[in-house]
Amino acid sequence: RRMSFGQRPTRSAVPSVPMQPIVLPYPPSVNKYWLIGRRGKTGRRMMFLSDAANAFRTRCYLVVRNCGVRLGPAQFSVTLAVWFPDHRERDTDNLWKPVMDGLCHGGAFDSDVQARDSRVIAVGVDRENPRVEAILRPLPPDWEPSAEWDRLCR
């Protein structure tokens, strides 16, 4: 069935079973993700993705395409479980953006703005296989953030 301009696709049902985790490689640090350089005749300063960031995005693309996960424009919740490469103290907030960009680049969803509920869990250290496992769950159409907040505060 064709949709008219501006019409959004509807979701008939939201799966109640949790989805399989998408296992991604450990992302490069935010300090190594972006490069600042000059481009063009004017020498204007611009930000570029580093080679490490591009390699991470390519690996994410391949993983997501092999998993077959595609949420489209639906709102969803995301839980990221992180296994660090060593015991150094790390800020888990810096992991969220590269991982979400990699999942979006792979086609798991249209934009990371659709993530209405996100959590990052620092699981532990795995020196041989540092990784991030992402679980994406579509939210029901009647999901209300305020009701979720009330539920969490009880």
Side-chain angles (χ1 to χ4, degrees), residues 58-133:
T58 301
R59 288 185 299 223
C60 288
Y61 177 86
L62 296 172
V63 168
V64 170
R65 291 296 170 155
N66 286 334
C67 290
V69 175
R70 180 78 181 117
L71 294 174
Q75 292 184 355
F76 63 92
S77 72
V78 60
T79 303
L80 303 177
V82 183
W83 282 264
F84 297 106
D86 53 40
H87 285 285
R88 283 185 286 170
E89 284 190 23
R90 297 174 191 268
D91 187 358
T92 56
D93 293 343
N94 293 333
L95 293 171
W96 191 86
K97 187 62 176 168
V99 170
M100 293 301 284
D101 284 348
L103 290 169
C104 185
H105 181 69
F109 44 83
D110 293 343
S111 171
D112 55 11
V113 187
Q114 298 165 232
R116 307 305 289 171
D117 179 17
S118 59
R119 299 161 197 213
V120 180
I121 302 168
V123 177
V125 174
D126 187 347
R127 292 179 198 273
E128 287 78 37
N129 186 22
R131 65 194 179 279
V132 176
E133 294 187 9

Side-chain angles (χ1 to χ4, degrees), residues 1-109:
R1 181 178 154 217
R2 284 189 86 119
M3 294 188 317
S4 63
F5 179 75
Q7 184 180 3
R8 295 185 66 128
T10 58
R11 290 176 284 158
S12 56
V14 175
S16 58
V17 226
M19 298 175 72
Q20 283 293 104
I22 303 169
V23 181
L24 301 170
Y26 190 80
S29 73
V30 175
N31 294 334
K32 295 180 181 166
Y33 202 80
W34 295 100
L35 299 174
I36 298 175
R38 300 194 180 271
R39 173 175 263 186
K41 294 178 183 177
T42 60
R44 201 174 96 206
R45 289 183 60 164
M46 299 181 73
M47 291 182 68
F48 303 94
L49 286 176
S50 68
D51 290 340
N54 283 320
F56 174 74
R57 284 171 48 117
T58 301
R59 288 185 299 223
C60 288
Y61 177 86
L62 296 172
V63 168
V64 170
R65 291 296 170 155
N66 286 334
C67 290
V69 175
R70 180 78 181 117
L71 294 174
Q75 292 184 355
F76 63 92
S77 72
V78 60
T79 303
L80 303 177
V82 183
W83 282 264
F84 297 106
D86 53 40
H87 285 285
R88 283 185 286 170
E89 284 190 23
R90 297 174 191 268
D91 187 358
T92 56
D93 293 343
N94 293 333
L95 293 171
W96 191 86
K97 187 62 176 168
V99 170
M100 293 301 284
D101 284 348
L103 290 169
C104 185
H105 181 69
F109 44 83

